[in-house]
């Protein structure tokens, strides 16, 4: 594998995480629990779609055969998407949405911080822009985890259940294979083991304040990074790709 | 004695309005003025919030990344407009949650246009172009409305609406210059949204119960029919310029009035939709109700949390 091939694959992972999570959040537009939160979730969705646009644009230029970001976003088959399983999980109730977001933000922020030092200047530039947004996302999701955890008995139970249901998907965010080895050696991306302890600490601190307990079972589900998705993914893609599949080769 | 005082206050109030001096929240105002504004502003706020739904219906299916981002931003703006407007209504003493409950119970109305379904991507163009276009016609004069907080909210809202309108027209232009399927999609959206857009200006002047008093109070600056005419005059040439046809055989330039004549509006349909019998009335209100019900435990948690923190601080 060449460095360029590895970079392509890595950019797809980051781009797909942003795209699929942005798509999930966009389903909520107009349905938030209160108007302020509707605006916040839509705003996060918009940031993520913006990040996906930049990441997939760069991926497309690094692809073996050049592609546009729209071609990558809309015209791949399911097993070519390499987002983590976590981000494709359904929105569920507000606690599920926030827990999914928190587990992701707590990983994405230190990743972006370390990408600022990437030897790949373009990736570092994208990370710089995304970091500003992600800091806000993490603050927003952490605050809600704490409010719901330390709110009412009902909210505590709900968010604890969300944690039990979603944590098993989060470990996949630290997936590594030969793509990572090559890029780490070139100083393009950080190693997962330099992000994982920061992620764990964020979880520990926020859950402590929220009076939530980390599940003892550390069993993990994975497959998304290698194109094996959950049953939810097909429906998400069917909806997202509807226009491009129904009316191929048109400009919008 | 009391009666004289009120007459005096009313006269001073009307004098201020006649001199174009803004009325502010703490100023004396007649009850009917306050009530009219609360009704109008909260109805406007509800329209923004319910208006998020027909467009929200296409965010997940937007055809490319740029369109998805722009549509998200637009719907987010509408939520923001809803917030300013609920705040403006609160300056008159309305309670936001009560106002929202009135929407959910059917007591309060919102713009009827949002009771029509969005069936294709072209509807995102038609809504931006026609619905936001009609909203601008209605709202630009409101920037000079006699009530200060409403007028100021409208200045910001109008800036964003005019961006939305351009964006919608751009979607339509792109479709109208595209493939046969895209052109048909655009024409079909125009066919479906044209008449409901004309109805957005409300009943004909002869049948409009609020117009006269609202104009005296400078809440309203033009009659419904005047605004409708302005909209037709601006929009017909826009449709022609991109090769689409307004679905009205009676559209004809009238040299003497320097405006277009247009065919009769189906007021039966208008009153039916206002009365709750439009294609999507039930779904729209149910969706909003469900959002509030599903969010109840979240709001309770946030309040309980704040209370706990406050009592910790004071302990």
């Amino acid at each position: 594998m060449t460095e360029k091939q590895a970079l392509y694959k890595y950019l797809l992972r980051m781009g797909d995480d942003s795209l699929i999570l942005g798509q999930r959040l966009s389903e909520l537009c107009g349905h938030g629990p209160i108007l302020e939160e509707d605006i916040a979730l839509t705003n996060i969705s918009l940031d993520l779609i913006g990040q996906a646009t930049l990441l997939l644009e760069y991926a497309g230029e690094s692809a073996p055969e050049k592609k546009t970001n729209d071609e990558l976003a809309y015209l791949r088959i399911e097993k070519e998407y390499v987002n983590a399983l976590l981000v494709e999980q359904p929105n569920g109730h507000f606690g599920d949405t926030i827990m999914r977001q928190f587990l992701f933000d707590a990983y994405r922020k230190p990743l972006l911080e370390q990408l600022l030092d990437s030897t790949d200047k373009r990736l570092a530039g994208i990370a710089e822009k995304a970091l500003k947004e992600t800091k806000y996302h993490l603050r927003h999701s952490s605050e809600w985890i704490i409010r719901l955890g330390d709110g009412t008995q009902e909210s505590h139970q709900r968010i604890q259940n969300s944690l039990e249901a979603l944590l098993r998907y989060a470990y996949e965010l630290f997936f590594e294979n030969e793509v990572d080895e090559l890029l780490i050696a070139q100083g393009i991306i950080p190693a997962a083991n330099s992000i994982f302890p920061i992620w764990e600490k964020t979880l520990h601190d926020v859950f402590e304040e929220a009076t939530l307990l980390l599940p003892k079972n550390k069993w993990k589900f994975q497959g998304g990074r290698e194109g094996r998705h959950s049953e939810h993914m097909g429906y998400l893609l069917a909806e997202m790709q509807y226009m491009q599949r129904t009316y191929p080769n048109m400009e919008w | 004695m009391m009666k004289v005082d009120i007459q005096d206050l009313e006269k001073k109030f009307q004098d201020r309005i006649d001199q174009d001096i803004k009325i502010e929240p703490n100023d004396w105002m007649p009850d009917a003025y306050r009530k009219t504004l609360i009704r109008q502003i909260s109805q406007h706020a509800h329209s923004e919030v319910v208006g998020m739904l027909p467009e929200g219906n296409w965010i997940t299916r937007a055809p490319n990344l740029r369109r998805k981002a722009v549509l998200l931003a637009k719907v987010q703006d509408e939520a923001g407009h809803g917030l300013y407007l609920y705040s403006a209504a609160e300056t008159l003493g309305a309670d936001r949650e009560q106002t929202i409950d009135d929407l959910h119970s059917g007591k309060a109305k919102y713009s009827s246009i949002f009771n029509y379904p969005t069936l294709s991507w072209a509807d995102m163009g038609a809504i931006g172009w026609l619905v936001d276009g009609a909203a601008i016609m209605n709202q630009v004069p409101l920037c000079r409305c006699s009530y200060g907080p409403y007028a100021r909210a409208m200045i910001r809202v109008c800036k964003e609406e005019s961006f939305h309108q351009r964006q919608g027209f751009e979607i339509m232009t792109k479709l109208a210059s595209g493939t046969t399927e895209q052109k048909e999609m655009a024409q079909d959206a125009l066919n479906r949204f044209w008449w409901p857009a004309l109805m957005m200006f409300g009943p004909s002047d002869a049948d409009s119960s609020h117009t006269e008093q609202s104009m005296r109070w400078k809440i309203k600056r033009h009659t419904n029919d005047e605004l409708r005419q302005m909209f037709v005059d601006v929009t017909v040439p826009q449709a022609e310029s991109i090769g689409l046809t307004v679905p009205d055989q009676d559209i004809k330039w009238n040299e003497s009035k320097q405006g277009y004549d247009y065919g009769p509006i189906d007021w039966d349909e208008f009153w039916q939709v206002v009365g709750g019998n439009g294609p999507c009335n039930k779904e729209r209100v149910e969706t909003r109700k469900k959002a509030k019900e599903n969010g109840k435990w979240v709001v309770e948690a946030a309040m309980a949390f704040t209370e706990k923190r406050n009592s910790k601080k004071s302990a």
Side-chain angles (χ1 to χ4, degrees), chain A residues 23 30 36 239 244 251-252, chain B residues 60 63 67-68 182 288:
Chain A
Q23 173 74 8
E36 284 82 350
E239 190 170 345
Q244 291 285 347
E251 298 270 321
W252 303 93
Chain B
T60 55
R67 294 292 184 198
K68 192 190 285 291
Q182 286 174 309
R288 291 309 309 161

Side-chain angles (χ1 to χ4, degrees), chain B residues 32-43:
Chain B
Y33 177 83
R34 187 185 298 276
K35 276 190 192 137
T36 301
L37 274 171
I38 290 179
R39 180 180 53 79
Q40 185 172 332
I41 298 172
S42 50
Q43 197 167 311

Side-chain angles (χ1 to χ4, degrees), chain B residues 147-306:
Chain B
Y147 187 59
Y150 192 27
R152 290 188 288 273
M154 276 306 105
I155 292 173
R156 180 152 176 198
V157 168
C158 280
K159 275 186 200 152
E160 293 179 348
E161 298 286 12
S162 79
F163 176 72
H164 298 166
Q165 194 270 347
R166 282 203 300 276
Q167 200 59 49
F169 189 61
E170 201 246 328
I171 290 178
M172 288 306 254
T173 308
K174 189 88 187 175
L175 294 175
S177 64
T179 63
T180 311
E181 285 151 304
Q182 286 174 309
K183 271 181 220 164
E184 281 172 8
M185 199 188 282
Q187 182 62 52
D188 175 60
L190 173 58
N191 293 349
R192 282 180 291 109
F193 278 95
W194 174 255
W195 292 107
L198 291 195
M199 293 177 199
M200 281 178 71
F201 297 95
S204 227
D205 295 347
D207 303 312
S208 172
S209 50
H210 305 294
T211 295
E212 204 185 325
Q213 179 58 268
S214 287
M215 286 184 77
R216 207 159 40 236
W217 280 334
K218 294 191 183 167
I219 293 174
K220 221 169 161 170
R221 299 271 181 167
H222 304 281
T223 70
N224 295 350
D225 287 333
E226 283 167 5
L227 290 165
R228 193 169 6 249
Q229 185 67 51
M230 286 193 247
F231 175 77
V232 171
D233 292 346
V234 169
T235 312
V236 170
Q238 286 175 342
E240 278 171 7
S241 76
I242 56 172
L244 297 180
T245 312
V246 167
D248 177 359
Q249 290 177 336
D250 298 330
I251 285 277
K252 211 174 130 201
W253 177 253
N254 180 330
E255 192 60 32
S256 65
K257 79 170 185 188
Q258 285 295 299
Y260 287 90
D261 290 332
Y262 53 91
I265 291 173
D266 182 352
W267 292 113
D268 287 342
E269 176 178 325
F270 173 78
W271 290 115
Q272 284 292 339
V273 179
V274 170
N277 298 320
C280 300
N281 295 56
K282 282 195 180 64
E283 288 90 334
R284 300 292 186 243
V285 174
E286 277 308 309
T287 303
R288 291 309 309 161
K289 266 163 106 166
K290 220 171 109 194
K292 185 167 176 171
E293 280 159 22
N294 290 343
K296 203 167 157 245
W297 70 275
V298 178
V299 176
E300 284 167 1
M303 281 160 53
F305 174 79
T306 309

Side-chain angles (χ1 to χ4, degrees), chain A residues 207-243:
Chain A
F207 290 158
E208 188 172 76
E209 205 179 337
T211 70
L212 295 177
L213 293 175
L214 256 182
K216 291 209 172 61
N217 191 344
K218 302 281 197 241
W219 177 247
K220 63 176 173 180
F221 284 180
Q222 63 177 29
R225 288 283 188 247
E226 295 164 296
R228 285 191 320 276
H229 293 277
S230 57
E231 287 183 345
H232 307 296
M233 187 67 171
Y235 295 95
L236 182 147
L237 292 180
E239 190 170 345
M240 186 172 79
Q241 298 183 338
Y242 165 69
M243 290 295 291

Side-chain angles (χ1 to χ4, degrees), chain B residues 17-47:
Chain B
I17 289 190
D18 294 342
Q19 291 167 52
D20 277 328
I21 300 172
K22 291 268 181 279
I23 307 299
E24 296 299 335
N26 293 329
D27 295 339
W28 185 89
M29 61 188 85
D31 266 354
Y33 177 83
R34 187 185 298 276
K35 276 190 192 137
T36 301
L37 274 171
I38 290 179
R39 180 180 53 79
Q40 185 172 332
I41 298 172
S42 50
Q43 197 167 311
H44 192 164
H46 300 328
S47 301

